[in-house]
Amino acid sequence: MIKISIVTITYNASAVLRRTLDSVKNQTYQYIEHLIVDGASTDDTVEIAIDYKEESDSVSASHDVVISSEPDKGLYDAMNKGLQRATGDYVCFLNAGDFLPSSATIETIVQMAKCELKSEGTLPAVLYGDTDIVDNGGTFIGHRRLRPPKNLSWRSFQQGMLVCHQAFYARLDIAQTIPYDLKYRYSADVDWCIRIMKEAERRQLMISNVGCVIANYTKEGQTTIHHRASLKERYNIMCCHYGKITTMLMHIWFAVRSVVKK
């Protein structure tokens, strides 16, 4: 039995939270742990989460919902709390407003993990897939511009964050040894994914493409709101992992490519 831990970070998210919770509750796969880490919301967020827990408890004994609400030091501090409280085989972060695209999404991800376990003798370090973008009302906008490659490694992110954070399922035994770096306010997820994949390479573990859309991402997130600060952080993260010269050359190429496309 493979258990999936889904962590949802919330703060005054009552307007968008329900679609996130419903997408998890409606999963056909039963062995799911859903941790809702709230930052002491002042709206109805916690009440919505409690109602959701009661609904889930009445439907499935193997679908666990765990709620906490307390002040935190920001998004990535809350993610670290969720990471350390998780007990599954894999962990994924599905924040308020984001949602799973179908009731069979987790079943599909787990089946890929089982296939790799059967063929390789061990679970992949990472399972990843495609992402669709939705607006703040949950309406489909389009496919994410950056698409995941067939074969992913930590070097792949030289070309940008090719896999959305919400479509990145990391093995928990690896993830819990690699907390989010709180010196980054908007792009610690980029750094975290790279470090997870570096550890996968060090351990000679598979990184497996599920081959379908496994996350719907709400465009109006913190990275979108703080776009310039996020880009600066991402540049520094790339310099850290790939070197200053390589990063500078890649950004020159990004600029040229965007002009050519216009």
Side-chain angles (χ1 to χ4, degrees):
M1 180 268 292
I2 294 174
K3 183 178 177 180
I4 303 294
S5 293
I6 297 174
V7 180
T8 297
I9 307 302
T10 62
Y11 181 71
N12 290 347
S14 60
V16 297
L17 180 59
R18 191 72 225 191
R19 67 171 178 256
T20 306
L21 304 183
D22 285 345
S23 77
V24 179
K25 183 183 70 175
N26 293 333
Q27 291 301 299
T28 56
Y29 191 75
Q30 291 298 302
Y31 299 105
I32 297 174
E33 171 187 64
H34 196 179
L35 297 104
I36 301 166
V37 183
D38 181 71
S41 290
T42 56
D43 65 358
D44 295 332
T45 295
V46 175
E47 287 77 8
I48 292 170
I50 291 171
D51 287 345
Y52 161 70
K53 175 176 170 56
E54 291 174 352
E55 292 168 10
S56 294
D57 288 347
S58 67
V59 171
S60 173
S62 55
H63 183 157
D64 299 323
V65 178
V66 181
I67 303 168
S68 63
S69 183
E70 61 188 15
D72 55 51
K73 298 174 184 177
L75 175 64
Y76 297 113
D77 179 46
M79 287 185 172
N80 278 338
K81 289 179 180 181
L83 189 59
Q84 293 309 315
R85 293 168 184 169
T87 62
D89 296 288
Y90 286 92
V91 63
C92 180
F93 291 85
L94 190 72
N95 292 335
D98 305 326
F99 55 98
L100 301 169
S102 83
S103 60
T105 297
I106 299 299
E107 186 83 48
T108 301
I109 292 167
V110 169
Q111 286 304 313
M112 172 60 74
K114 288 179 177 178
C115 286
E116 297 288 21
L117 176 61
K118 186 176 181 180
S119 63
E120 300 294 327
T122 188
L123 289 170
V126 175
L127 298 155
Y128 68 98
D130 285 89
T131 304
D132 281 345
I133 307 298
V134 300
D135 64 19
N136 213 37
T139 302
F140 173 79
I141 296 175
H143 301 303
R144 188 169 182 263
R145 181 179 62 82
L146 294 177
R147 305 295 298 277
K150 182 178 180 181
N151 298 304
L152 181 72
S153 78
W154 68 270
R155 296 172 185 83
S156 302
F157 276 29
Q158 292 181 72
Q159 302 172 54
M161 194 175 186
L162 299 184
V163 178
C164 183
H165 190 221
Q166 287 81 346
F168 189 95
Y169 285 67
R171 237 174 62 177
L172 189 66
D173 62 327
I174 298 173
Q176 285 185 330
T177 67
I178 302 174
Y180 290 87
D181 191 334
L182 299 188
K183 74 181 179 185
Y184 301 118
R185 293 185 63 191
Y186 309 115
S187 297
D189 52 337
V190 181
D191 171 70
W192 183 76
C193 288
I194 293 171
R195 288 188 290 134
I196 292 286
M197 291 188 288
K198 279 186 171 181
E199 182 63 15
E201 182 176 281
R202 189 187 73 81
R203 298 192 191 189
Q204 298 182 317
L205 294 171
M206 293 281 293
I207 296 176
S208 301
N209 191 340
V210 179
C212 63
V213 175
I214 61 172
N216 287 334
Y217 169 70
T218 300
K219 188 176 182 181
E220 291 84 355
Q222 287 297 305
T223 300
T224 304
I225 296 168
H226 302 280
H227 186 60
R228 292 190 68 178
S230 173
L231 289 177
K232 184 176 180 180
E233 280 193 355
R234 289 188 183 209
Y235 185 86
N236 291 335
I237 288 166
M238 288 181 70
C239 286
C240 176
H241 290 288
Y242 307 119
K244 292 183 179 180
I245 293 175
T246 297
T247 300
M248 181 180 66
L249 292 174
M250 286 303 300
H251 277 73
I252 291 171
W253 164 240
F254 294 157
V256 171
R257 183 177 60 185
S258 65
V259 170
V260 171
K261 285 185 177 181
K262 289 180 181 179

